[in-house]
Amino acid sequence: MPDSQPTPLPDHRRVARALAVAGSLIVALTLALAGLLYSSYHSTIEREQTSLRNLATAYAAQAYYAMLALDTALARGADATSIPAATGVGQHIPARIYFLGPDGEPRQAASAVRPGSDAPVAVPASDSPPQVALGPPGGSGGHATITLAHALPARGESGGGSIVIETDVAYFQRIFASSDLGSGGSVTLLRRDGIMLVRSPTLPDAIGRSFLDTPLFQGHLPRAPVGVIEADSPIDGTRRLYGYSAVADYPLVIITGRDLADTLAVWRWWLWVGALAWALLSITLALLAWRIGRETARQAALIARLETSENRLTHSFRYLNSILDSLATPLWVLDAQRRIVLFNKAFQKFTGKRGEELDGRPEAEVLDPQGAEARGRLYAAVATDGVHTREAEVRDGAGEMRTALHLAARLESENHAAQIVNSLADITERKQVELRLAWLADFDPLTGLPNQNHLRRTLSEAIEHAVANGGQVVLILVALERLQEVADLLGHEAGDEAVRQVAARLRRLAPQAMSPSRVKANEFGLLLTAAPTHRPVDDFAFELHALLSEPVRVCEREFHLQPVIGIAAYPQDAGSVNELMRLADIAKHRARGDSGEPVHFHSDAIHIQLNERLSIEEQLRRALERGELSLVYQPKVHIASGRITGFEVLLRWHNPLLGHVSPARFIPIAEQTGLILPIGNWVLRTACEHASAWRREHGIQPKVAVNLSIRQFYQKDLVRSIEDALAGAGLAPDALELEITESIAMSRMDVVERLLAGIRELGVELSIDDFGTGYSSLAYLKSFPVQCLKIDRAFIRDLGRDADSAAIVHSIVALGHGLNMRIVAEGVETEIQLAMLRELGCDEFQGFLFARPLDAAAVPALLGARPARALETPASP
């Protein structure tokens, strides 16, 4: 049977109707308020105009009586012989009377009177009204004066004249000042011809000025002797309300004015109050209407849902909800479309949503959408087997990731519809504790580095890999001898900070070192997997010691922690993790006990190599100051003519303890430690000085070629150093040639190109040394300002025995000549090599076939002291 109840309005219609009613009330309120303010505005203006008009009329009456008193006093004094001394009058107006002759000159000294006194009165013969004028300052106060005058009839030979009375304007100003018209208000006395006589507050610059052209005199005063005006002030331009009144029987007019802004100040305040009240009331009505409409819609929807529910399930449903809400575990039930049909308060709290935002909504919109796919697989399994549980990461309503056990079970509703009941057991804290314990088992909480357990496991895995694939595993243990001093001096927090700084340095070694770990309080461990293609272990150990020898800065102080290093290797020293750890620890203790030897290898052979390396470095650091370094010169010879074209500078070192040390042994150490920089500068300066001495003492100028290392090449002041060396020796730039390797040329090509261009601008020639053994490239040969290529001795050695070497030399010669470069062959030792170089078109050679390297003193003898022009380099082919 169809439902006979009326169809309820939709929610949006209910809200719209409530808002429409509120809008009507707001419009009515607006119109009423606007009318009230409009009426109040005009009432305020009219009230103020009436007040100003009445005040002007009152002041006009006072002015009339004052003028009448003056006029009466003037009439009494018309007979000059009867003017008495001043006796005071009822008006108490100070005044002075005097006569003027026909020529306008005073005939008799003035006498002070008080209008209204008992002095005899002689009425003047003339009936004409008195003349009112503005006089100059006079009297005791020094103010301007107002004068009244009557003409006198002619008497005998004296011939007429006039009688005058004057009074100080201060009298009128005191009267006018009694009114409070606000900061912009004023009371003004003017003549009918527009001349200003008195103003309060006074404006000296405007007294005596004519205002005849103002609307008062041009329009209003001719029409009515009393009235009101709203106009801009002719004095300061301010908008004012004015009341005016003419003075009866005298050519005077009184004007009272008030600033319009002052008049409307109270009205404006009420305007703001009304606007604020209107805004608050309007907002309140709108919010109230929206809330009423929304609540009405919600109530209607709730009523509709309740009326369609089965009454027999009402009590059971409430009872079930009470049970579910009492549980702290989030519970929710899904229908076949995965919509939420039942949930408890714990689920609301977990999702952070209200009940109306959950009921009937798809689960994917309510619960973490990123886990929807995994939940779908779980529900599919539940539909088959009934009950399933999984551990899941679920994001709650606050956005935090929680770890939970998600249990899902299949059930059927009363109408046999399939549903899924779900629960979440939050195990986040338990999981975090488990993860923390697991982490603490393998990592150091202070530094975050792996601990000894983790290092042992990693070492075991590395050894297993080495057993299966070959190779070497190196264990390095580092002890910081003076770390405890930091804690003893500044406290444990400072000691911990020092340990953290050391850990940060060890992390920067990755991936060179595996698993940098904190083994003990002041000890760290590292692993290296060594192979023929990897860096030597001693190189790494040396750099590690240098890195940890740098001071740490704690509490604004620097501390040197004095690291000692012990090293053991698999399979040379031990075959198990425990044995390797034991031997590395023994080596560390030996490093601690051996004075001056902070790095110790358990392997005797490696230890001997490191000892030799450290000995070379130690002696090399003082080689310059001891004068142990020297230079020798290898001639370069032009193949076609047999003339010497120049010399390559070679470095030699003789040490009292080590004897003659090969450059192949000490040059790499010098480059690694940075000693190559001062040594290279010394070589450059000394070679220039030798070449300059040969020119001064023997008249010869051979070209000297100096090698630059890659460390030396990247000095910021390299070009300046070359320039200073030439200038200090007084050597011409074209007598110097600098040789660089291909590794320098191919590293940071933009920087290299800029430096080579700067060197070439000095006039110094450039050549590529050991060409063919590095990163040969036509690109840098084309872009760099190089004049010469030197073929490496590795290709020269096999000339005559290896066709490939001859082909390579031929290619290099053709390439160089194609780029207008000289070609020099290194290491020529046999006539066969020289003959083939001549046949292949090589320009120059150097080697033992011609001469061994010579001391600087032997060079002039080799050249036979020939003129410098005989040593010039022949033009390139």
Side-chain angles (χ1 to χ4, degrees):
M1 184 175 181
D3 191 356
S4 60
Q5 294 181 355
T7 303
L9 289 174
D11 293 352
H12 67 277
R13 292 282 300 277
R14 296 176 184 274
V15 175
R17 175 177 293 181
L19 291 176
V21 173
S24 300
L25 291 176
I26 292 172
V27 170
L29 177 65
T30 303
L31 294 176
L33 181 61
L36 181 62
L37 290 174
Y38 180 80
S39 174
S40 174
Y41 174 85
H42 285 282
S43 297
T44 301
I45 296 295
E46 291 176 358
R47 191 165 51 250
E48 188 63 30
Q49 286 177 338
T50 301
S51 175
L52 290 172
R53 182 175 61 243
N54 294 338
L55 186 61
T57 302
Y59 280 134
Q62 289 190 28
Y64 168 76
Y65 288 114
M67 298 304 293
L68 181 61
L70 292 172
D71 204 2
T72 302
L74 185 63
R76 289 178 177 158
D79 189 355
T81 60
S82 64
I83 297 177
T87 59
V89 293
Q91 292 291 332
H92 301 290
I93 304 174
R96 190 167 68 93
I97 299 175
Y98 56 89
F99 293 101
L100 295 177
D103 54 359
E105 292 297 328
R107 286 190 310 162
Q108 180 178 336
S111 299
V113 299
R114 295 282 183 180
S117 66
D118 297 331
V121 178
V123 179
S126 175
D127 292 333
S128 61
Q131 299 178 358
V132 181
L134 183 67
S140 61
H143 299 97
T145 58
I146 295 179
T147 63
L148 273 75
H150 275 289
L152 295 174
R155 296 182 180 177
E157 296 179 358
S158 61
S162 61
I163 185 170
V164 178
I165 186 170
E166 67 178 15
T167 183
D168 198 326
V169 300
Y171 169 76
F172 293 95
Q173 286 178 337
R174 285 193 300 271
I175 296 175
F176 297 160
S178 61
S179 297
D180 182 11
L181 295 177
S183 59
S186 64
V187 180
T188 309
L189 176 64
L190 298 99
R191 283 200 326 224
R192 292 294 289 263
D193 59 359
I195 299 299
M196 181 184 289
L197 300 177
V198 182
R199 188 182 188 276
S200 177
T202 183
L203 286 176
D205 294 339
I207 301 300
R209 177 178 161 189
S210 175
F211 295 90
L212 189 61
D213 56 350
T214 59
L216 171 66
F217 292 96
Q218 296 298 319
H220 294 273
L221 196 57
R223 288 198 301 267
V226 178
V228 293
I229 309 171
E230 181 180 342
D232 295 334
S233 171
I235 295 176
D236 56 12
T238 302
R239 192 72 174 176
R240 288 186 173 88
L241 295 176
Y242 294 99
Y244 70 90
S245 177
V247 179
D249 299 332
Y250 293 94
L252 299 173
V253 62
I254 293 290
I255 300 176
T256 56
R258 185 179 177 88
D259 196 328
L260 184 60
D262 291 345
T263 301
L264 297 176
V266 175
W267 179 85
R268 286 195 179 96
W269 185 84
W270 283 109
L271 173 65
W272 281 108
V273 171
L276 181 60
W278 174 87
L280 292 176
L281 190 56
S282 298
I283 293 172
T284 302
L285 286 173
L287 290 176
L288 185 60
W290 177 81
R291 184 64 182 268
I292 291 174
R294 184 169 174 271
E295 290 298 325
T296 302
R298 289 182 57 190
Q299 291 175 7
L302 181 59
I303 292 172
R305 289 176 58 188
L306 291 176
E307 288 179 351
T308 58
S309 299
E310 296 181 7
N311 294 329
R312 64 186 180 86
L313 295 177
T314 301
H315 179 73
S316 299
F317 186 77
R318 291 176 179 174
Y319 182 73
L320 176 61
N321 276 342
S322 299
I323 296 175
L324 294 179
D325 289 341
S326 65
L327 299 177
T329 301
L331 293 171
W332 71 102
V333 179
L334 303 177
D335 62 9
Q337 286 75 39
R338 306 271 174 87
R339 292 176 302 194
I340 299 173
V341 296
L342 185 64
F343 50 89
N344 65 354
K345 290 185 178 179
F347 184 72
Q348 293 184 51
K349 183 178 179 181
F350 184 83
T351 59
K353 297 183 181 299
R354 299 188 300 272
E356 59 268 25
E357 295 175 324
L358 297 174
D359 194 17
R361 296 296 183 93
E363 182 195 54
E365 296 180 6
V366 174
L367 204 58
D368 185 9
Q370 295 181 358
E373 184 177 351
R375 291 196 300 273
R377 293 193 296 268
L378 176 66
Y379 297 154
V382 167
T384 303
D385 298 338
V387 179
H388 276 271
T389 302
R390 71 183 183 103
E391 183 175 312
E393 298 291 328
V394 185
R395 194 177 301 278
D396 63 15
E400 295 182 3
M401 191 64 71
R402 313 293 295 178
T403 303
L405 289 177
H406 182 183
L407 185 145
R410 184 178 181 273
L411 57 81
E412 290 183 357
S413 64
E414 287 188 355
N415 55 4
H416 303 289
Q419 293 183 336
I420 298 175
V421 59
N422 298 270
S423 68
L424 286 178
D426 192 344
I427 60 171
T428 304
E429 287 75 15
R430 189 184 78 186
K431 202 70 177 176
Q432 289 175 348
V433 170
E434 292 175 355
L435 293 174
R436 178 64 176 173
L437 292 175
W439 186 86
L440 289 175
D442 285 328
F443 291 89
D444 172 52
L446 176 61
T447 62
L449 292 177
N451 58 17
Q452 187 173 10
N453 292 335
H454 191 282
L455 178 64
R456 284 179 174 273
R457 189 164 57 252
T458 305
L459 179 58
S460 177
E461 294 170 358
I463 290 176
E464 291 177 2
H465 184 271
V467 171
N469 302 285
Q472 183 184 34
V473 179
V474 179
L475 173 62
I476 301 175
L477 294 181
V478 183
L480 304 176
E481 293 293 282
R482 303 180 64 183
L483 176 62
Q484 186 60 36
E485 295 178 3
V486 180
D488 293 342
L489 181 63
L490 301 177
H492 290 292
E493 287 294 330
D496 292 346
E497 175 59 23
V499 171
R500 282 191 287 265
Q501 291 188 33
V502 172
R505 295 181 187 180
L506 293 179
R507 285 193 188 93
R508 292 200 296 269
L509 294 174
Q512 301 177 44
M514 294 172 52
S515 188
S517 308
R518 189 184 184 198
V519 179
K520 297 179 182 178
N522 68 329
E523 293 185 13
F524 297 85
L526 302 96
L527 296 182
L528 289 180
T529 54
T533 57
H534 291 180
R535 298 176 56 196
V537 175
D538 56 345
D539 286 355
F540 179 85
F542 189 86
E543 288 188 6
L544 175 62
H545 182 268
L547 176 66
L548 298 182
S549 295
E550 295 178 1
V552 296
R553 189 170 185 82
V554 181
C555 299
E556 305 300 327
R557 298 184 63 175
E558 290 187 349
F559 296 88
H560 294 267
L561 302 182
Q562 191 176 339
V564 293
I565 298 175
I567 302 172
Y570 169 88
Q572 294 92 329
D573 301 328
S576 66
V577 172
N578 290 336
E579 188 66 12
L580 205 59
M581 292 283 288
R582 185 182 69 84
L583 294 180
D585 192 65
I586 292 174
K588 179 193 65 181
H589 285 289
R590 289 180 180 176
R592 177 179 294 150
D594 295 338
S595 177
E597 189 177 310
V599 179
H600 197 93
F601 286 76
H602 179 74
S603 171
D604 294 336
I606 297 177
H607 184 69
I608 291 172
Q609 293 175 7
L610 179 61
N611 183 56
E612 180 183 8
R613 175 194 180 93
L614 293 176
S615 299
I616 291 175
E617 179 187 346
E618 181 183 0
Q619 296 299 320
L620 187 59
R621 289 184 182 276
R622 304 186 65 183
L624 270 179
E625 62 182 84
R626 291 171 175 170
E628 297 173 1
L629 300 177
S630 62
L631 300 182
V632 295
Y633 296 86
Q634 172 119 54
K636 292 194 288 188
V637 184
H638 190 253
I639 294 178
S641 64
R643 291 180 299 172
I644 296 175
T645 59
F647 294 87
E648 180 181 2
V649 179
L650 303 175
L651 181 62
R652 296 291 183 262
W653 178 30
H654 178 78
N655 180 263
L657 296 177
L658 304 175
H660 289 285
V661 185
S662 168
R665 291 174 63 195
F666 74 82
I667 291 297
I669 296 176
E671 289 186 341
Q672 189 177 48
T673 59
L675 293 172
I676 195 66
L677 298 178
I679 292 175
N681 290 335
W682 177 84
V683 170
L684 182 61
R685 292 195 307 269
T686 305
C688 291
E689 291 171 358
H690 286 169
S692 179
W694 296 334
R695 178 180 56 80
R696 291 194 311 271
E697 299 172 6
H698 304 285
I700 58 176
Q701 186 66 85
K703 186 184 296 293
V704 290
V706 179
N707 287 278
L708 291 178
S709 75
I710 191 168
R711 288 286 295 269
Q712 187 180 5
F713 193 77
Y714 286 131
Q715 294 181 100
K716 293 183 179 180
D717 57 347
L718 175 61
V719 177
R720 180 65 179 273
S721 298
I722 297 171
E723 189 176 10
D724 291 345
L726 292 170
L731 185 67
D734 59 359
L736 177 64
E737 181 180 357
L738 297 178
E739 297 183 0
I740 63 173
T741 62
E742 287 183 292
S743 60
I744 295 177
M746 293 303 295
S747 63
R748 299 174 63 188
M749 291 186 63
D750 54 338
V751 177
V752 172
E753 185 174 0
R754 186 166 60 252
L755 285 173
L756 292 181
I759 294 172
R760 193 70 188 102
E761 287 177 1
L762 297 178
V764 177
E765 290 193 358
L766 297 166
S767 64
I768 302 295
D769 195 16
D770 300 333
F771 184 79
T773 61
Y775 304 95
S776 302
S777 171
L778 293 177
Y780 80 79
L781 290 179
K782 180 180 178 182
S783 59
F784 291 167
V786 177
Q787 290 75 48
C788 177
L789 295 180
K790 297 186 71 175
I791 305 175
D792 187 72
R793 64 181 68 248
F795 303 118
I796 305 301
R797 182 176 57 246
D798 295 330
L799 284 178
R801 295 182 297 175
D802 184 1
D804 291 340
S805 296
I808 292 174
V809 172
H810 176 71
S811 299
I812 295 174
V813 171
L815 174 64
H817 286 171
L819 295 173
N820 295 321
M821 296 181 183
R822 300 194 320 277
I823 307 300
V824 179
E826 298 180 300
V828 179
E829 298 180 356
T830 67
E831 291 290 349
I832 295 176
Q833 294 171 347
L834 181 60
M836 292 196 68
L837 289 172
R838 184 180 292 110
E839 181 182 347
L840 293 172
C842 185
D843 301 310
E844 302 174 15
F845 79 96
Q846 64 184 73
F848 291 168
L849 178 63
F850 183 82
R852 289 182 175 274
L854 308 170
D855 291 336
V859 170
L862 177 66
L863 296 174
R866 287 174 289 178
R869 62 178 178 274
L871 301 173
E872 293 178 356
T873 302
S876 299

